[in-house]
Amino acid sequence: MKILVPVKRVIDYNVKVRVKADQTGVELANVKMSMNPFDEISVEQAIRLKEAGVCDEIIAVSIGVQQCQETIRTALAMGADRGIHVLHDGDVEPLAVAKILKELADKEGPSLIIVGKQAIDDDSNQTGQMLAALLGWGQATFVSDIQVEGEQVKATREVDGGLETISVKLPSVITTDLRLNEPRYASLPNIMKAKKKPIDQTSPADLGVDPSVRLEILKVSEPPQRESGVKVEDVADLVDKLRNTAKVI
Amino acid sequence: MTILILAEHDNTQLRPATLNAVTAAKELGGEIEVLVAGSGCEGAANDASKIEGVTKILIADSDEYANALAENVATLVSKIAENYSHILATATTSAKNIMPRVAALKDVQQVSEISEVIDAETFVRPIYAGNAMATVKTSDSIKVITVRGTSFEAAQEEGGSAPIEKIEASGDAGLSQYIGSELSASERPDLTSARIVVSGGRGMQSGENFPIIEAVADKLGAAVGASRAAVDAGYVPNDYQVGQTGKVVAPDLYIAVGISGAIQHLAGMKDSKVIVAINKDEEAPIFQVADFGLVADLFKAVPELDDELQKNGFSG
Ligand SMILES: Cc1cc2nc3c(=O)[nH]c(=O)nc-3n(C[C@H](O)[C@H](O)[C@H](O)COP(=O)(O)OP(=O)(O)OC[C@H]3O[C@@H](n4cnc5c(N)ncnc54)[C@H](O)[C@@H]3O)c2cc1C
Ligand SMILES: Cc1cc2nc3c(=O)[nH]c(=O)nc-3n(C[C@H](O)[C@H](O)[C@H](O)COP(=O)(O)OP(=O)(O)OC[C@H]3O[C@@H](n4cnc5c(N)ncnc54)[C@H](O)[C@@H]3O)c2cc1C
């Protein structure tokens, strides 16, 4: 089977983001960019399914600016077989991303699409579910374990109350949660090999998708800052402050 | 303008999370209807009909909704969506699973986890782990929105008497099947709505040490939470995780024990009213957001805290 893995280029999770002074967005100049951490988990899972003989081809897809090719190269260095870059020089919203991925799925015919549960920049947590709806496929979101069993995927999902197990018919969309696996680092030889793996380039227009945005961002502002507090001497002082100063216990 | 709220429930009872979405709907203004899709879910529908400010309850009672499978519930919601200006749900894992599917079926760009209503089309939502707040305006004709529970007070559970109307089920999509659940049983309050939360991090060193935190939590009537590191290491179950990619909490008091204060953790608790940090490293970033910081070894400080609470008459 083929597996499609969308990989998003986002500000690295270690960067402390700064809101631009003109409130139009956040500072992206000279900021370290990386693959969305949940997408690393998706790539890793696809590779493990390939190693287990369940999958024979992994296609990494990224939608966005030219530099998204670096994100695809990272996926190729980890072990994906080829890449598709959908070049687009503006923001794309989850619905448009899902529409683009649907077109690619119609062309490529994957049995599984493994999507990150959320991108750590916009924190939308939408794309996978939207894609499943557009394809008319089943979905298993926020998964911490999956087993492919014939024409079904058995998935354990992280839910508010604990864990839930469902089974979904193939083809289907999976969205990955943190505990699914620990992504590997690409080895130097694999980074070299990845340079020779093919990346096709296409565009939303080629795929017949209108990527124009529906949400207008009126402004991006700083969240309220907390005032810094005090250090307490010892536990007795802490309990006293909680009872008599803050009055929360 | 009529707003539809997708209820969160376990068939017999409504879950309190629904009440936060009702408050957000009230801020939008207009009639408020609540959809209870389940199997044998009259109990939940009855609970919903009592919520103050709700106009009507729709009940879709059929096997295919027993476990809130997204494929089935989203089909149902999308069938009735045209009757509404807004479709809302509190951003629980269940709503996060279902709502984007509804949005895509209606060709709508969902607005996720709003923390403020500006007007019927304009909302504030946190992005970048809460390090920036985006004000966004949507022009979609039906607005599909999830609501951050901690940003909106719970509506009154009693006081209403909305009529309950049956609606037709939409059938089983046949795409997925529920197999089972492993829910963490706990006598403690629910993490997202508890007045006090005590959380442990990697500094706890093992799950076997969590009872010292639990003892303090029980004296205070608190819920127990954790950092991602503590969950990944298997000290506690996944549903304890507080943070950007776990649960968002905003209790009156949050006590962070052996947690460094990574931005992803802060994203889930920095709206707490009072924050206490217990950490042996005085440089730990958690102290930058703490109202009261105690630089100490937690294995000494936490049992001392337990004793001190006991002395002050807290017995749980
Ligand atoms: C500060 C800021 C300003 C913004 N300004 C604008 C603006 O002016 N106009 C506007 O329209 N939008 C704007 N956006 C929105 C933004 O560009 C995207 O709409 C948003 O990031 C997409 O949501 P998400 O990635 O959080 O989706 P999620 O649903 O959280 O993503 C989940 C998964 O979907 C997949 N995925 C998502 N996107 C891609 C991709 N591009 N390529 C490959 N896979 C992908 C990945 O697997 C990812 O893990 C802004 C966002 C921010 C944070
Ligand atoms: C995509 C992504 C999503 C994430 N989502 C989340 C999330 O939702 N929630 C979350 O919490 N994290 C999340 N993280 C992880 C986050 O970046 C941090 O790694 C994590 O929060 C660290 O947990 P910690 O503070 O328990 O551990 P550490 O950072 O290791 O800190 C342990 C602290 O304990 C203190 N300590 C040790 N021993 C003692 C002692 N005896 N007495 C007192 N203090 C002691 C140390 O001084 C240290 O400050 C995410 C990361 C990524 C990449």
Side-chain angles (χ1 to χ4, degrees), chain A residues 6-8 24-26 36 38-39 61-64 91-94 97 101 114-119 121-128 213-215 217 220, chain B residues 127-128:
Chain A
V7 292
K8 186 178 182 187
T24 55
V26 304
N36 181 35
F38 287 98
D39 298 346
V61 182
S62 194
I63 301 151
D91 286 305
V92 270
E93 293 171 338
V97 171
L101 294 173
I114 310 183
V115 185
K117 88 160 172 180
Q118 82 194 57
D121 49 0
D122 203 46
D123 285 334
S124 292
N125 195 332
Q126 300 178 4
T127 305
V213 298
R214 309 277 189 93
L215 301 183
I217 312 254
V220 174
Chain B
I127 52 177
Y128 289 102

Side-chain angles (χ1 to χ4, degrees), chain A residues 33-248:
Chain A
M33 305 292 285
S34 299
M35 186 189 299
N36 181 35
F38 287 98
D39 298 346
E40 292 179 10
I41 296 173
S42 303
V43 175
E44 176 66 34
Q45 197 60 33
I47 298 168
R48 290 188 189 186
L49 288 169
K50 191 173 175 192
E51 287 167 348
V54 176
C55 149
D56 37 50
E57 191 181 30
I58 303 167
I59 309 161
V61 182
S62 194
I63 301 151
V65 295
Q66 190 61 33
Q67 294 93 317
C68 288
Q69 297 226 351
E70 294 162 18
T71 314
I72 296 175
R73 285 284 168 220
T74 306
L76 298 177
M78 286 174 74
D81 298 292
R82 63 186 167 94
I84 302 176
H85 175 215
V86 183
L87 179 65
H88 180 63
D89 278 329
D91 286 305
V92 270
E93 293 171 338
L95 183 63
V97 171
K99 287 180 181 176
I100 290 168
L101 294 173
K102 177 192 183 287
E103 293 305 318
L104 293 174
D106 286 344
K107 278 204 174 130
E108 297 284 349
S111 302
L112 264 185
I113 306 179
I114 310 183
V115 185
K117 88 160 172 180
Q118 82 194 57
I120 59 160
D121 49 0
D122 203 46
D123 285 334
S124 292
N125 195 332
Q126 300 178 4
T127 305
Q129 298 87 313
M130 288 183 153
L131 175 59
L134 296 178
L135 287 163
W137 293 3
Q139 67 188 47
T141 53
F142 328 143
V143 307
S144 60
D145 186 44
I146 59 168
Q147 307 289 335
V148 177
E149 299 172 346
E151 289 306 296
Q152 309 273 335
V153 186
K154 195 168 146 197
T156 305
R157 308 182 51 232
E158 293 201 356
V159 296
D160 287 336
L163 298 171
E164 177 185 284
T165 306
I166 61 171
S167 102
V168 190
K169 236 189 217 163
L170 288 174
S172 62
V173 175
I174 302 287
T175 83
T176 53
D177 216 321
L178 296 169
R179 259 68 64 178
L180 183 59
N181 59 50
E182 266 184 58
R184 69 193 65 190
Y185 292 100
S187 65
L188 197 57
N190 285 344
I191 293 172
M192 299 313 288
K193 259 196 264 168
K195 293 193 171 145
K196 297 202 190 77
K197 292 182 181 175
I199 301 179
D200 286 339
Q201 199 171 62
T202 176
S203 71
D206 287 345
L207 296 167
V209 175
D210 171 10
S212 50
V213 298
R214 309 277 189 93
L215 301 183
E216 188 189 347
I217 312 254
L218 301 180
K219 69 170 183 191
V220 174
S221 50
E222 295 268 2
Q225 299 298 321
R226 290 189 76 93
E227 282 173 36
S228 56
V230 297
K231 293 262 165 63
V232 295
E233 288 300 312
D234 53 24
V235 166
D237 186 16
L238 174 63
V239 171
D240 175 62
K241 291 234 164 44
L242 291 178
R243 294 198 80 177
N244 302 316
T245 311
K247 298 191 167 58
V248 281

